[in-house]
Amino acid sequence: MSAPMLITVDPLKPAAEQKGLMNRWHPLIPPAATVKPDTVFKLGCHEWTGGQIRNSDDSDDVANVDLTRIHYLTGPVAVEGAEPGDALCVEILNIEYYESMPWGYTGVFEKADGGLFATRFDTKAAKAIWDFEGRFCSSRHIPGVRFAGITHPGIIACSPSQELLDEWNRREQALIDAHPGASPPVALAPEPKNAYVGQDVPKEVMEKIAREGARTVPGREHGGNCDIKNLSIGSKTWLPVYIPGANLSIGDLHFSQGDLELSFCGAIEMAGIITLKCSLVKGGVEKLSLNQPIFLPSPIDPNYTGQLTFEGLSVDVHGDGAQSSMCATTAAKQAALNAMQYLCNLGYTIEQVHLLLSAAPVECHVAALVDVPNACVTISLPTQIFDRNITPAGMGPEGFEKRDYGQAAIRSDGKRGIDIFAERKKAQGKK
């Protein structure tokens, strides 16, 4: 028997006009569907901005995106018999893109909207459109690469209880209060504007959801927007249950993504259909010591064995040379910048390498947090995804052949962020 489609979505119509979708976390959002445990079912999912991004060759849509209208998640789906304190085991059986939308995108957002390098690059909007061919993808905006996607949901979680929601709002507001005017912001308070529940609910309930509902941007102890690339087709995750029925919601589908998701909109964002099966572990929160979700990675993820690995230490060698003590974030940034500079030597622009390292199946590892003052983090880039030998063995006597790879989709006014590698070369040439 074919799995029933519990919630249908049209990826070519705005998400805010469709039933069975929502974009805030709140226990008062009623289930849009109900399933029995151990039942296989399908859900349609919109792409994360709800249809704001186009298949085009400029990034004006990314520059103008409304971040109060994002993460239109499918659900909630109630699971019969689920009670607070249980663990909900969700098995991801398949994810398919829509035949009517066989493409996705990766974006660099404007500086104020975040991203690991938003401030350093003074980022201006850029994007790459990726075309899908079965399990593979390629982009006219980043020529010379083709790879198999590690397809996964960026967001999966059960609804919080009112007590947990109140705690989220308390601690995140305290962080905002401690850093007034921070850009990018340190946290996102509840925002009534464009809060959406694709169901008919009483006005006073909708007002409460809009006023209190937690934004879906960060991951939290219920799961949420953790963007773990290996929570993919064939994986299982165990989620804590906080309210009767669990009320599972899912979305933000990614065709592919690298560890770190560097550019904020750093996966290959897609709309698609996900096939799931849910089961219950009664009393699983206590039995599994489930403070946050746990998962089993997929046995069928693409396996790229050839990798070029870049080290990073907690010293800002690409900036002012500041020494940090055991800071893994600084080390991760340095590893990424080392990889970006290397790829720019092949002819890619800074926008292209920023997008590529976000979207491709790169792996990031904390190699060592032991020898003060330098944490060591590595980023490994699969070499087989390129149509040329990018390892040092592929370099000629004068260095790498620098090819013309064009440019990613940038703003129609031509404005770009700072290319720190080009700026450094200019400075060195003046000395």
Side-chain angles (χ1 to χ4, degrees):
M1 296 177 62
S2 61
M5 179 73 75
L6 293 190
I7 298 175
T8 300
V9 168
D10 186 340
L12 303 182
K13 293 182 179 179
E17 299 175 3
Q18 301 189 51
K19 298 290 187 181
L21 302 176
M22 56 84 155
N23 66 358
R24 298 292 190 273
W25 295 115
H26 201 289
L28 290 182
I29 300 175
T34 301
V35 295
K36 295 180 182 295
D38 302 311
T39 300
V40 177
F41 60 95
K42 294 183 178 183
L43 300 171
C45 296
H46 219 293
E47 59 90 7
W48 81 295
T49 70
Q52 296 183 64
I53 307 302
R54 308 182 309 276
N55 187 343
S56 64
D57 295 318
D58 66 65
S59 63
D60 294 352
D61 47 4
V62 175
N64 297 318
V65 71
D66 183 348
L67 291 180
T68 66
R69 298 193 295 120
I70 58 168
H71 287 159
Y72 288 88
L73 306 179
T74 302
V77 175
V79 180
E80 291 185 6
E83 293 294 337
D86 294 345
L88 181 68
C89 177
V90 183
E91 186 173 2
I92 299 173
L93 299 176
N94 198 21
I95 303 175
E96 309 164 88
Y97 55 84
Y98 286 99
E99 291 185 3
S100 59
M101 190 177 171
W103 60 274
Y105 63 90
T106 306
V108 173
F109 274 41
E110 299 281 316
K111 176 181 175 180
D113 291 328
L116 198 60
F117 295 110
T119 301
R120 173 158 286 177
F121 293 162
D122 188 23
T123 54
K124 301 294 185 291
K127 75 179 179 188
I129 298 296
W130 300 86
D131 295 309
F132 304 149
E133 295 178 304
R135 293 296 177 196
F136 291 85
C137 65
S138 59
S139 174
R140 63 185 182 270
H141 296 128
I142 310 178
V145 294
R146 182 176 185 266
F147 51 85
I150 304 179
T151 308
H152 61 280
I155 299 178
I156 180 171
C158 298
S159 294
S161 64
Q162 185 69 52
E163 293 76 15
L164 182 58
L165 175 63
D166 291 344
E167 172 61 15
W168 292 348
N169 288 338
R170 182 204 62 76
R171 71 192 189 198
E172 291 174 22
Q173 186 60 53
L175 190 61
I176 294 169
D177 293 343
H179 301 275
S183 180
V186 294
L188 298 171
E191 172 54 75
K193 179 183 177 183
N194 289 321
Y196 183 74
V197 174
Q199 301 180 60
D200 295 325
V201 296
K203 180 181 178 182
E204 62 274 15
V205 173
M206 187 63 224
E207 289 175 348
K208 182 175 173 63
I209 292 169
R211 183 175 64 252
E212 300 176 348
R215 302 289 298 279
T216 56
V217 175
R220 298 181 178 90
E221 51 265 55
H222 71 151
N225 191 25
C226 292
D227 293 321
I228 300 172
K229 76 177 194 300
N230 299 108
L231 185 58
S232 52
I233 299 171
S235 68
K236 292 182 179 180
T237 185
W238 285 262
L239 304 168
V241 174
Y242 302 100
I243 65 173
N247 281 12
L248 173 72
S249 296
I250 195 166
D252 187 27
L253 300 186
H254 299 163
F255 187 86
S256 179
Q257 181 200 301
D259 289 336
L260 296 179
E261 198 181 12
L262 294 172
S263 69
F264 184 67
C265 182
I268 300 179
E269 308 288 347
M270 63 176 278
I273 299 171
I274 188 165
T275 305
L276 304 171
K277 182 170 72 171
C278 295
S279 58
L280 292 171
V281 180
K282 302 302 292 182
V285 168
E286 181 178 353
K287 292 175 182 176
L288 300 173
S289 298
L290 204 62
N291 297 307
Q292 282 99 39
I294 58 177
F295 76 98
L296 286 176
S298 168
I300 58 173
D301 280 349
N303 182 24
Y304 286 106
T305 55
Q307 294 182 327
L308 187 61
T309 299
F310 300 84
E311 292 186 20
L313 301 175
S314 45
V315 182
D316 189 5
V317 298
H318 289 278
D320 59 8
Q323 174 76 63
S324 300
S325 178
M326 308 305 289
C327 179
T329 300
T330 299
K333 287 181 178 181
Q334 297 305 302
L337 288 167
N338 291 338
M340 288 181 183
Q341 186 174 27
Y342 188 96
L343 292 174
C344 285
N345 289 335
L346 304 178
Y348 290 107
T349 66
I350 187 68
E351 290 85 4
Q352 287 174 318
V353 299
H354 197 178
L355 291 162
L356 178 59
L357 290 182
S358 297
V362 303
E363 294 185 357
C364 177
H365 296 280
V366 178
L369 289 176
V370 60
D371 298 316
V372 295
N374 284 331
C376 180
V377 174
T378 63
I379 284 183
S380 297
L381 182 61
T383 58
Q384 299 104 311
I385 73 174
F386 293 88
D387 65 359
R388 62 190 285 195
N389 185 354
I390 68 158
T391 71
M395 184 175 61
E398 304 300 322
F400 284 108
E401 174 194 359
K402 196 162 188 174
R403 298 181 183 175
D404 182 0
Y405 288 112
Q407 175 58 299
I410 62 173
R411 289 169 28 161
S412 60
D413 60 12
K415 288 186 178 180
R416 299 173 58 192
I418 298 171
D419 185 339
I420 63 171
F421 307 126
E423 293 293 323
R424 183 178 301 165
K425 285 186 177 180
K426 287 181 183 179
Q428 290 171 345
K430 292 178 181 178
K431 291 182 179 179

mmCIF file of all heavy atoms in Angstrom, residues 354-377:
data_model
loop_
_atom_site.group_PDB
_atom_site.id
_atom_site.type_symbol
_atom_site.label_atom_id
_atom_site.label_comp_id
_atom_site.label_asym_id
_atom_site.label_seq_id
_atom_site.Cartn_x
_atom_site.Cartn_y
_atom_site.Cartn_z
ATOM 1 N N HIS A 354 31.955 31.040 -0.836
ATOM 2 C CA HIS A 354 31.113 31.152 0.363
ATOM 3 C C HIS A 354 29.881 30.253 0.205
ATOM 4 O O HIS A 354 29.529 29.483 1.113
ATOM 5 C CB HIS A 354 30.711 32.614 0.545
ATOM 6 C CG HIS A 354 30.192 32.947 1.900
ATOM 7 N ND1 HIS A 354 29.816 34.222 2.260
ATOM 8 C CD2 HIS A 354 29.951 32.187 3.004
ATOM 9 C CE1 HIS A 354 29.395 34.230 3.510
ATOM 10 N NE2 HIS A 354 29.458 33.015 3.985
ATOM 11 N N LEU A 355 29.245 30.319 -0.950
ATOM 12 C CA LEU A 355 28.064 29.508 -1.217
ATOM 13 C C LEU A 355 28.409 28.029 -1.340
ATOM 14 O O LEU A 355 27.693 27.165 -0.827
ATOM 15 C CB LEU A 355 27.389 29.992 -2.502
ATOM 16 C CG LEU A 355 26.726 31.376 -2.433
ATOM 17 C CD1 LEU A 355 26.495 31.934 -3.832
ATOM 18 C CD2 LEU A 355 25.424 31.310 -1.659
ATOM 19 N N LEU A 356 29.511 27.721 -2.009
ATOM 20 C CA LEU A 356 29.877 26.323 -2.237
ATOM 21 C C LEU A 356 30.191 25.609 -0.936
ATOM 22 O O LEU A 356 29.729 24.479 -0.703
ATOM 23 C CB LEU A 356 31.077 26.245 -3.184
ATOM 24 C CG LEU A 356 31.611 24.838 -3.472
ATOM 25 C CD1 LEU A 356 30.532 23.956 -4.081
ATOM 26 C CD2 LEU A 356 32.837 24.893 -4.373
ATOM 27 N N LEU A 357 30.976 26.226 -0.061
ATOM 28 C CA LEU A 357 31.314 25.578 1.202
ATOM 29 C C LEU A 357 30.102 25.444 2.114
ATOM 30 O O LEU A 357 30.097 24.625 3.031
ATOM 31 C CB LEU A 357 32.423 26.346 1.916
ATOM 32 C CG LEU A 357 33.812 26.273 1.274
ATOM 33 C CD1 LEU A 357 34.822 27.027 2.112
ATOM 34 C CD2 LEU A 357 34.263 24.830 1.083
ATOM 35 N N SER A 358 29.073 26.245 1.878
ATOM 36 C CA SER A 358 27.833 26.104 2.634
ATOM 37 C C SER A 358 27.000 24.932 2.127
ATOM 38 O O SER A 358 26.408 24.195 2.917
ATOM 39 C CB SER A 358 27.006 27.391 2.527
ATOM 40 O OG SER A 358 27.672 28.476 3.104
ATOM 41 N N ALA A 359 26.965 24.747 0.804
ATOM 42 C CA ALA A 359 26.033 23.804 0.191
ATOM 43 C C ALA A 359 26.605 22.406 -0.018
ATOM 44 O O ALA A 359 25.875 21.413 0.074
ATOM 45 C CB ALA A 359 25.568 24.352 -1.157
ATOM 46 N N ALA A 360 27.888 22.306 -0.332
ATOM 47 C CA ALA A 360 28.497 21.013 -0.635
ATOM 48 C C ALA A 360 28.663 20.185 0.641
ATOM 49 O O ALA A 360 28.700 20.735 1.746
ATOM 50 C CB ALA A 360 29.847 21.225 -1.307
ATOM 51 N N PRO A 361 28.796 18.856 0.510
ATOM 52 C CA PRO A 361 28.875 17.996 1.702
ATOM 53 C C PRO A 361 30.244 18.021 2.374
ATOM 54 O O PRO A 361 30.917 16.990 2.507
ATOM 55 C CB PRO A 361 28.532 16.611 1.143
ATOM 56 C CG PRO A 361 28.973 16.657 -0.278
ATOM 57 C CD PRO A 361 28.710 18.065 -0.740
ATOM 58 N N VAL A 362 30.674 19.215 2.803
ATOM 59 C CA VAL A 362 31.942 19.320 3.520
ATOM 60 C C VAL A 362 31.742 18.838 4.953
ATOM 61 O O VAL A 362 30.638 18.875 5.494
ATOM 62 C CB VAL A 362 32.488 20.768 3.517
ATOM 63 C CG1 VAL A 362 32.652 21.287 2.104
ATOM 64 C CG2 VAL A 362 31.591 21.700 4.313
ATOM 65 N N GLU A 363 32.832 18.376 5.557
ATOM 66 C CA GLU A 363 32.784 17.881 6.925
ATOM 67 C C GLU A 363 33.655 18.747 7.814
ATOM 68 O O GLU A 363 34.774 19.106 7.451
ATOM 69 C CB GLU A 363 33.254 16.428 6.993
ATOM 70 C CG GLU A 363 32.337 15.460 6.277
ATOM 71 C CD GLU A 363 32.753 14.012 6.463
ATOM 72 O OE1 GLU A 363 33.798 13.772 7.113
ATOM 73 O OE2 GLU A 363 32.044 13.123 5.962
ATOM 74 N N CYS A 364 33.137 19.082 8.972
ATOM 75 C CA CYS A 364 33.871 19.871 9.951
ATOM 76 C C CYS A 364 34.051 19.028 11.213
ATOM 77 O O CYS A 364 33.088 18.405 11.684
ATOM 78 C CB CYS A 364 33.127 21.160 10.272
ATOM 79 S SG CYS A 364 33.912 22.182 11.533
ATOM 80 N N HIS A 365 35.267 18.994 11.733
ATOM 81 C CA HIS A 365 35.544 18.227 12.944
ATOM 82 C C HIS A 365 36.326 19.076 13.937
ATOM 83 O O HIS A 365 37.233 19.821 13.544
ATOM 84 C CB HIS A 365 36.366 16.975 12.624
ATOM 85 C CG HIS A 365 35.654 15.984 11.759
ATOM 86 N ND1 HIS A 365 34.715 15.105 12.242
ATOM 87 C CD2 HIS A 365 35.737 15.748 10.429
ATOM 88 C CE1 HIS A 365 34.248 14.365 11.244
ATOM 89 N NE2 HIS A 365 34.844 14.742 10.141
ATOM 90 N N VAL A 366 35.954 18.945 15.194
ATOM 91 C CA VAL A 366 36.788 19.512 16.255
ATOM 92 C C VAL A 366 37.910 18.515 16.477
ATOM 93 O O VAL A 366 37.711 17.445 17.059
ATOM 94 C CB VAL A 366 35.978 19.744 17.540
ATOM 95 C CG1 VAL A 366 36.880 20.278 18.644
ATOM 96 C CG2 VAL A 366 34.833 20.717 17.278
ATOM 97 N N ALA A 367 39.105 18.855 15.987
ATOM 98 C CA ALA A 367 40.218 17.916 16.024
ATOM 99 C C ALA A 367 40.846 17.837 17.406
ATOM 100 O O ALA A 367 41.235 16.759 17.858
ATOM 101 C CB ALA A 367 41.275 18.312 14.989
ATOM 102 N N ALA A 368 40.960 18.990 18.086
ATOM 103 C CA ALA A 368 41.609 18.981 19.398
ATOM 104 C C ALA A 368 41.166 20.181 20.222
ATOM 105 O O ALA A 368 41.182 21.311 19.728
ATOM 106 C CB ALA A 368 43.129 18.992 19.242
ATOM 107 N N LEU A 369 40.769 19.917 21.449
ATOM 108 C CA LEU A 369 40.501 20.962 22.433
ATOM 109 C C LEU A 369 41.309 20.623 23.681
ATOM 110 O O LEU A 369 40.772 20.399 24.762
ATOM 111 C CB LEU A 369 39.004 21.024 22.765
ATOM 112 C CG LEU A 369 38.064 21.558 21.695
ATOM 113 C CD1 LEU A 369 36.610 21.466 22.163
ATOM 114 C CD2 LEU A 369 38.394 23.002 21.345
ATOM 115 N N VAL A 370 42.617 20.599 23.516
ATOM 116 C CA VAL A 370 43.447 20.086 24.597
ATOM 117 C C VAL A 370 44.683 20.933 24.863
ATOM 118 O O VAL A 370 45.092 21.093 26.005
ATOM 119 C CB VAL A 370 43.841 18.607 24.314
ATOM 120 C CG1 VAL A 370 44.624 18.492 23.014
ATOM 121 C CG2 VAL A 370 44.635 18.009 25.465
ATOM 122 N N ASP A 371 45.311 21.490 23.817
ATOM 123 C CA ASP A 371 46.597 22.153 23.981
ATOM 124 C C ASP A 371 46.428 23.666 23.979
ATOM 125 O O ASP A 371 46.294 24.284 22.914
ATOM 126 C CB ASP A 371 47.565 21.721 22.868
ATOM 127 C CG ASP A 371 47.843 20.228 22.919
ATOM 128 O OD1 ASP A 371 48.063 19.723 24.027
ATOM 129 O OD2 ASP A 371 47.824 19.569 21.860
ATOM 130 N N VAL A 372 46.441 24.264 25.167
ATOM 131 C CA VAL A 372 46.282 25.712 25.247
ATOM 132 C C VAL A 372 47.440 26.399 24.527
ATOM 133 O O VAL A 372 48.570 25.910 24.534
ATOM 134 C CB VAL A 372 46.247 26.174 26.727
ATOM 135 C CG1 VAL A 372 45.026 25.626 27.421
ATOM 136 C CG2 VAL A 372 47.516 25.770 27.463
ATOM 137 N N PRO A 373 47.140 27.533 23.850
ATOM 138 C CA PRO A 373 45.858 28.230 23.758
ATOM 139 C C PRO A 373 45.065 27.877 22.506
ATOM 140 O O PRO A 373 44.019 28.465 22.278
ATOM 141 C CB PRO A 373 46.302 29.694 23.700
ATOM 142 C CG PRO A 373 47.571 29.645 22.891
ATOM 143 C CD PRO A 373 48.248 28.361 23.306
ATOM 144 N N ASN A 374 45.538 26.907 21.680
ATOM 145 C CA ASN A 374 44.974 26.763 20.341
ATOM 146 C C ASN A 374 44.072 25.545 20.175
ATOM 147 O O ASN A 374 44.553 24.401 20.111
ATOM 148 C CB ASN A 374 46.090 26.702 19.291
ATOM 149 C CG ASN A 374 46.684 28.059 19.025
ATOM 150 O OD1 ASN A 374 46.003 29.069 19.157
ATOM 151 N ND2 ASN A 374 47.957 28.110 18.672
ATOM 152 N N ALA A 375 42.783 25.801 20.106
ATOM 153 C CA ALA A 375 41.857 24.782 19.620
ATOM 154 C C ALA A 375 42.165 24.525 18.145
ATOM 155 O O ALA A 375 42.635 25.411 17.432
ATOM 156 C CB ALA A 375 40.418 25.261 19.776
ATOM 157 N N CYS A 376 41.908 23.306 17.698
ATOM 158 C CA CYS A 376 42.128 22.952 16.292
ATOM 159 C C CYS A 376 40.846 22.375 15.708
ATOM 160 O O CYS A 376 40.279 21.419 16.241
ATOM 161 C CB CYS A 376 43.259 21.931 16.160
ATOM 162 S SG CYS A 376 43.603 21.442 14.451
ATOM 163 N N VAL A 377 40.371 22.986 14.627
ATOM 164 C CA VAL A 377 39.175 22.536 13.922
ATOM 165 C C VAL A 377 39.552 22.318 12.464
ATOM 166 O O VAL A 377 40.352 23.081 11.904
ATOM 167 C CB VAL A 377 38.035 23.569 14.034
ATOM 168 C CG1 VAL A 377 36.843 23.181 13.174
ATOM 169 C CG2 VAL A 377 37.592 23.720 15.488
#
